[in-house]
Amino acid sequence: MPGLHFLRLACTAATVSLLGACGTGGAPPDPSDLRAAQLLGQLTLDEKIQLVHGIGHPAEGAGHIPGIARLGIPDLTSVDSASGINLAHSNATPLPAPIALAASWDPELAAEYGRLIGRELRTLGLAVGLGTGINLAREPRNGRTFEYLGEDPVLAGTLAARRTVATQEEKVIATIKHLGFNHQETRRFWSNSVVDERTMRELELLAFEIAVKEGRPGNVMCAYNLVNGHKACESRYLIDTVLKQEWGYPGVVQSDWVMAVTDTERAALAGLDEEQPGALDDSIGSYGMPTYFNQRLKAAVQDGRVPLSRLDDMVRRKLRTLHRIGLLDAPPGPRRPIDRQAGHTLARRIAAESMVLLKNTPPAGSATPLLPLPAEQVKSILVVGAHADVGVISGGGSARVPPQDEIDPVPCREPEKGSGPEVLFRACATYYPSSPLLALRAGAPQASVRFLDGRDAAAAATAAASADVAIVFASQWTSEQFDLPSLALPGPAADPVNHHYDQEALIRAVAARNPRTAVVLQTGTAVTMPWLGDVAAVLQAWYPGVKGGEAIADVLLGRVNPSGRLPLSFPRSEVDLPQPRISASELDVYYLEGLAMGYRWFDSRGIEPLFPFGHGLSYSRYAYSGLSASFDRHGDLQLRFTLKNIGERDGAEVAQVYAGLPAQAGEPPQRLVAWLKVRLAAGESRELTLSVPQQRLAAWDTLHHAWRLPTGRYTLHVGGSSRDPQALSTLVER
């Protein structure tokens, strides 16, 4: 076809090593394939069935598959590990939420995050970690947004890949989830995501493609919801056609927990390899719900509805993965104590590097921005709200990490619950005993630092009037199983269990009496800010983990120069979102925005966000110059430019590259294609080169079901956010 350049993945030794999907072509046999074949030939039918399903909810962890001792196949206990290990009494490190990690824009930090989780899994004698989630933030009211890595597929896929590789280097299996389009919790077992092919491939499936090909996860977990009328765990298109055949994925596809599978034959033939949590008896099932991969699968194999070769493929994939990652020869040992100091040190650094300074202006009567606070000069600080005297909040659901020593400093009474899979999780937020108040007192010992709980806005306003600085802490609890009714900071009407006063009224009252007011947000997603014009500074701290209080103080006091950037757009109002509301009754969820997801929506509709994707301020300033771009002989795009720290503090800038495709491609105005986090001393200048693989410039062709490179003029922008007014621009022809 004229004007189109189709991308095909050559079947080379490199791709065999990466994907395990091409013909042999003379390549030496893969040792993991040989070991898997050797073991498979010694298994009975019952033993094969035993290896492809869990045995119900175990006493510890999320799932358990007994091994085959006579063949050295180890037990496999899996545990949720989105932001640390969700295991009671384990003392595992509660890390900042994955959305915070995404805000770091730092692949090396993602590797450290994954490595710590892998190390702690091994220390606790566990074999499988159920992370990372990379469902894109199409709907910021989704209760699980904090578990994921933002709204852009390249950012999410790249960070997930680096985290996954590092986890599996510790000889544990990492799971990437949830394939796919799992973008709301409302009616999550029955909702049907209706998405066109091009949107699927260019957005969410691109994130999974990058994570699968670069991260090589041992497991990919399919989702609860339906996609275009088919349960995701029974979707031949998602699992067999795309994941296994096209991407050559050699690992295990496991189900999400409970009600993800509804039909044995359909799931098995679609490519599902493992059912969780499974059951010892399919007729009894788990949580009162039937299961399908024990007696039902055995019967289907025996009567020919599911070929034996399909069962053998399920088992072969598991054995191959166990060998490749090292679990066959080095299974996890007995539980050992967690290295708390190492975990706390990393958690504090991740939290500080993930915080996003959203606003920082000079208060009335000053020429200097409010932050950082000069610890040696400020005499009195008022700290208000969000239990900042005792700790920091975290997200709920399966991504919750219990506080170490089971010490939660904020009492909460759980409401009455019903039964069944929809009410498995706590309604009370978890707090970690890391007090921002105490950290501020320690960091500014010459100042008087007072705390008020925020329940009395008038009293807080009166106290603010006599303070040098007022810092209002605000929070928003989000969790699996629940979606947010709105993006406003919650009060007692929206979340009576965890939020007992009107947070927005508190902010307004304090700011009205003190122009030197900063707001620190502990949230799992975007929030609307009708009070934004009333305050001098806003710091987005996300869910900052076990040392979050200290990290917040590090940034407020300037010990850390903030370098986080938003991994999702913050809208001014919910009316600016593609989906007006999350329906509690309609099962079909139509992706009518198509390719215009996230910042692409705001760009294509000309809507001004509250804060754009990629936004984040620093205590320093950065200047870009000298941009040039050209295609190399391989078709990849090479960019060169100079970045200089023109401020007075050392800091880090996230240099972001956005590309606008030729007009005939029919794409949104721009997409993120590359970035680099650069640390520069004050006054330092550095010439940078970024390479953009040609795949990042491709569009999906629905006629040929393949990626294509449009010919024509590409527009490139390099700057500090998706809407940086100082961004450099250039054109390049292809």
Side-chain angles (χ1 to χ4, degrees):
M1 181 179 294
L4 301 182
H5 177 196
F6 287 91
L7 296 177
R8 301 292 184 186
L9 184 64
C11 187
T12 65
T15 55
V16 170
S17 175
L18 176 65
L19 302 176
C22 300
T24 57
D30 186 293
S32 296
D33 286 332
L34 294 176
R35 185 75 175 274
Q38 177 192 39
L39 291 171
L40 182 64
Q42 301 178 67
L43 292 170
T44 66
L45 176 60
D46 285 338
E47 287 172 331
K48 292 174 184 178
I49 294 292
Q50 177 179 316
L51 291 175
V52 300
H53 68 88
I55 58 170
H57 197 72
E60 288 194 336
H64 182 76
I65 297 177
I68 310 295
R70 69 181 183 87
L71 297 177
I73 300 172
D75 293 351
L76 297 177
T77 299
S78 54
V79 66
D80 292 300
S81 60
S83 51
I85 299 168
N86 186 355
L87 188 65
H89 308 290
S90 68
N91 286 322
T93 303
L95 290 166
I99 193 67
L101 176 65
S104 77
W105 289 62
D106 190 336
E108 294 307 315
L109 205 60
E112 292 189 62
Y113 193 104
R115 188 169 294 111
L116 179 74
I117 288 175
R119 188 163 59 244
E120 292 194 352
L121 286 166
R122 287 285 299 191
T123 298
L124 295 171
L126 301 166
V128 184
L130 304 175
T132 302
I134 55 174
N135 298 104
L136 299 185
R138 174 196 182 240
E139 172 50 80
R141 290 164 293 196
N142 177 10
R144 302 188 79 172
T145 300
F146 78 96
E147 296 186 40
Y148 304 143
L149 295 169
E151 68 190 25
D152 183 82
V154 178
L155 179 64
T158 300
L159 296 180
R162 294 299 292 272
R163 170 180 165 169
T164 298
V165 168
T167 295
Q168 295 188 157
E169 286 174 347
E170 300 298 321
K171 296 185 179 179
V172 294
I173 295 171
T175 297
I176 285 177
K177 60 185 184 179
H178 309 87
L179 188 70
F181 308 92
N182 185 213
H183 295 146
Q184 66 181 52
E185 291 300 282
T186 302
R187 307 201 74 175
R188 61 180 177 160
F189 298 115
W190 305 280
S191 69
N192 175 35
S193 298
V194 183
V195 200
D196 68 88
E197 180 185 344
R198 185 173 177 183
T199 297
M200 284 197 289
R201 299 306 300 256
E202 291 193 22
L203 294 173
E204 179 135 320
L205 290 187
L206 176 58
F208 277 93
E209 183 176 2
I210 294 168
V212 165
K213 290 181 177 179
E214 296 181 9
R216 304 183 68 200
N219 291 344
V220 171
M221 184 191 295
C222 49
Y224 286 131
N225 53 282
L226 289 75
V227 179
N228 294 331
H230 301 279
K231 289 285 282 186
C233 290
E234 298 169 2
S235 170
R236 189 185 293 264
Y237 175 75
L238 289 179
I239 299 174
D240 189 55
T241 301
V242 175
L243 177 63
K244 290 186 172 180
Q245 293 188 37
E246 184 180 329
W247 299 346
Y249 175 62
V252 173
V253 178
Q254 65 180 172
S255 75
D256 206 335
W257 262 239
V258 185
M259 296 178 64
V261 182
T262 60
D263 183 277
T264 300
E265 184 177 346
R266 205 159 48 222
L269 297 181
L272 186 70
D273 302 309
E274 176 185 306
E275 184 190 27
Q276 287 290 357
L280 289 171
D281 188 333
D282 280 342
S283 64
I284 297 174
S286 295
Y287 301 105
M289 307 303 299
T291 53
Y292 297 88
F293 265 35
N294 193 350
Q295 291 86 1
R296 286 187 170 97
L297 178 58
K298 180 179 179 180
V301 170
Q302 288 176 323
D303 65 20
R305 289 179 290 118
V306 173
L308 178 61
S309 60
R310 174 75 267 268
L311 175 62
D312 285 348
D313 179 56
M314 298 178 192
V315 178
R316 184 182 297 109
R317 288 171 174 274
K318 178 157 294 179
L319 297 173
R320 179 167 55 207
T321 297
L322 291 174
H323 181 267
R324 176 174 70 84
I325 291 174
L327 283 164
L328 282 179
D329 296 321
R335 178 183 293 192
R336 293 174 286 116
I338 292 292
D339 183 345
R340 289 203 196 192
Q341 185 57 50
H344 288 188
T345 299
L346 180 60
R348 181 171 178 170
R349 180 156 62 88
I350 292 171
E353 294 193 20
S354 299
M355 292 180 191
V356 183
L357 185 60
L358 295 175
K359 179 180 180 180
N360 191 27
T361 57
S366 172
T368 304
L370 178 61
L371 300 177
L373 299 177
E376 68 285 352
Q377 297 175 21
V378 67
K379 300 302 181 185
S380 59
I381 302 173
L382 176 68
V383 174
V384 186
H387 303 289
D389 58 328
V390 293
V392 292
I393 197 171
S394 70
S398 60
R400 171 184 178 266
V401 181
Q404 293 180 323
D405 298 321
E406 310 303 310
I407 298 173
D408 187 326
V410 178
C412 178
R413 181 176 180 178
E414 284 285 323
E416 293 293 326
K417 294 183 179 181
S419 60
E422 285 285 22
V423 290
L424 296 175
F425 302 113
R426 291 165 49 99
C428 286
T430 295
Y431 285 78
Y432 303 126
S434 174
S435 165
L437 174 71
L438 297 181
L440 285 166
R441 284 177 176 164
Q446 298 179 12
S448 168
V449 186
R450 180 186 179 191
F451 177 76
L452 293 176
D453 64 16
R455 292 173 184 260
D456 187 336
T462 299
S466 60
D468 287 350
V469 177
I471 306 174
V472 181
F473 283 77
S475 61
Q476 166 210 66
W477 182 70
T478 58
S479 173
E480 179 177 358
Q481 192 175 304
F482 311 103
D483 289 320
L484 293 172
S486 80
L487 295 178
L489 287 171
D495 185 3
V497 176
N498 299 298
H499 299 96
H500 305 123
Y501 56 87
D502 187 331
Q503 297 188 87
E504 294 190 343
L506 174 66
I507 293 170
R508 285 195 175 101
V510 170
R513 299 296 299 276
N514 190 331
R516 298 177 61 81
T517 295
V519 174
V520 177
L521 296 170
Q522 296 175 64
T523 74
T525 185
V527 293
T528 52
M529 304 180 199
W531 40 264
L532 180 64
D534 302 330
V535 302
V538 180
L539 179 66
Q540 173 59 259
W542 311 106
Y543 297 145
V546 68
K547 302 300 285 185
E550 290 84 352
I552 289 169
D554 288 340
V555 174
L556 291 176
L557 296 171
R559 291 192 293 248
V560 172
N561 191 346
S563 62
R565 302 294 183 263
L566 289 181
L568 75 167
S569 305
F570 277 38
R572 292 181 180 275
S573 167
E574 289 87 359
V575 300
D576 290 337
L577 297 173
Q579 184 171 263
R581 61 187 178 89
I582 299 176
S583 174
S585 58
E586 298 170 5
L587 293 181
D588 288 335
V589 181
Y590 293 95
Y591 287 51
L592 298 178
E593 74 276 16
L595 297 174
M597 183 185 293
Y599 62 90
R600 294 165 169 86
W601 169 261
F602 292 91
D603 292 345
S604 62
R605 297 303 191 275
I607 300 171
E608 187 72 24
L610 183 64
F611 294 108
F613 176 81
H615 170 76
L617 304 176
S618 169
Y619 296 150
S620 195
R621 295 177 296 124
Y622 305 92
Y624 294 77
S625 62
L627 174 64
S628 65
S630 61
F631 287 102
D632 65 19
R633 62 187 181 87
H634 302 292
D636 298 332
L637 185 62
Q638 304 298 325
L639 294 96
R640 291 176 178 81
F641 58 93
T642 297
L643 180 64
K644 184 175 183 179
N645 181 342
I646 59 174
E648 298 178 352
R649 290 173 176 263
D650 299 350
E653 168 73 330
V654 179
Q656 303 164 39
V657 181
Y658 296 86
L661 273 58
Q664 66 269 25
E667 291 284 310
Q670 63 176 351
R671 62 169 69 167
L672 179 72
V673 294
W675 77 90
L676 188 65
K677 191 161 189 176
V678 186
R679 302 183 189 280
L680 296 170
E684 182 182 359
S685 178
R686 192 179 305 171
E687 187 174 7
L688 303 171
T689 300
L690 271 73
S691 181
V692 180
Q694 58 180 317
Q695 289 88 346
R696 297 291 172 263
L697 303 172
W700 186 257
D701 185 283
T702 55
L703 179 62
H704 296 86
H705 309 291
W707 291 103
R708 64 178 176 86
L709 283 169
T711 55
R713 179 174 294 178
Y714 289 76
T715 305
L716 302 171
H717 304 284
V718 179
S721 81
S722 63
R723 293 200 173 193
D724 183 356
Q726 305 301 319
L728 302 178
S729 298
T730 191
L731 300 174
V732 61
E733 291 277 350
R734 183 178 186 86

